[in-house]
Amino acid sequence: MTPAAPFGPAEFQLVLLRRMADHQPGLVEDALRALGATPTAMREANKRWQARAHAGRGPGELDRYRAALGEPEARGAIPGLPARHEAWVWPVPLWPELRFTVCAGPGRAVWSRTLTRAPGAPVPELRTAADLLPWRCTIDEVYRAFRDARAREQVPPALTRMDFTLPDGSACAAEFAWGLFQRPLPPVKP
């Protein structure tokens, strides 16, 4: 029996890109080139990740991230939440200014997995629709910039759609994959 191929940070980045490929194929193609990977390798990595996620007896979700990404760069309490809630943070070589952050609660139950801004990395200024460029901002930054931002209906895992109002009063909507801005959407009509 041949041992399973390793699944590490390089393969995990391909999983992140697979979810983004439907929204930003050009950026994903550029990222694949930078990683020296092919679309086939991206699909295969995603297939392997999904098989692990749906295996009946495999490790829990938090342990799957740890197995793929190694020991976290940082791990600690989440401000404003009970002590048993922790954020686990890993670097993402493809996006050095970002971190992959997994938030887990009691029993190591994962309730959030998203790309976040690395400590000390410059945060983009968000005021107009023109400031919302693909892969430029995170969902946390949009929540902070536009106080009325709210998530829409449930969508597939790792995707978030949200609505918010720009300072000029115009309605705006956006779609995020793994917490990274992908594209604007038509706003929901009241």
Side-chain angles (χ1 to χ4, degrees):
M1 185 167 161
T2 25
F7 197 99
E11 291 77 15
F12 186 72
Q13 289 177 122
L14 296 177
V15 172
L16 298 177
L17 289 172
R18 174 58 198 101
R19 177 58 73 191
M20 297 176 190
D22 295 335
H23 311 292
Q24 290 297 330
L27 290 175
V28 168
E29 285 175 26
D30 293 344
L32 289 174
R33 273 193 295 282
L35 294 172
T38 64
T40 301
M42 177 181 66
R43 287 188 298 274
E44 181 58 29
N46 190 62
K47 181 179 172 183
R48 290 177 56 212
W49 181 258
Q50 294 304 321
R52 289 173 185 216
H54 299 294
R57 290 202 174 122
E61 185 176 2
L62 185 58
D63 290 324
R64 279 193 307 276
Y65 291 115
R66 190 176 186 180
L69 300 170
E71 288 302 312
E73 173 181 87
R75 178 179 166 189
I78 302 170
L81 291 179
R84 294 184 351 196
H85 290 79
E86 284 189 314
W88 295 49
V89 181
W90 289 272
V92 185
L94 182 60
W95 296 288
E97 72 283 2
L98 299 177
R99 297 295 182 263
F100 186 73
T101 302
V102 175
C103 297
R108 296 167 66 97
V110 172
W111 52 270
S112 174
R113 62 214 58 67
T114 187
L115 291 164
T116 59
R117 187 72 50 194
V123 177
E125 190 171 323
L126 303 175
R127 290 189 200 202
T128 69
D131 296 331
L132 297 167
L133 299 173
W135 294 15
R136 181 173 183 242
C137 60
T138 68
I139 195 166
D140 291 341
E141 292 158 354
V142 170
Y143 273 119
R144 282 193 297 274
F146 308 106
R147 297 290 178 183
D148 71 335
R150 65 200 173 285
R152 275 193 196 178
E153 77 281 355
Q154 184 71 14
V155 292
L159 286 180
T160 304
R161 293 180 182 139
M162 66 176 0
D163 295 286
F164 51 96
T165 306
L166 296 172
D168 68 4
S170 58
C172 197
E175 188 164 53
F176 299 80
W178 297 105
L180 190 59
F181 178 73
Q182 298 299 306
R183 63 183 178 177
L185 296 172
V188 173
K189 295 183 181 175

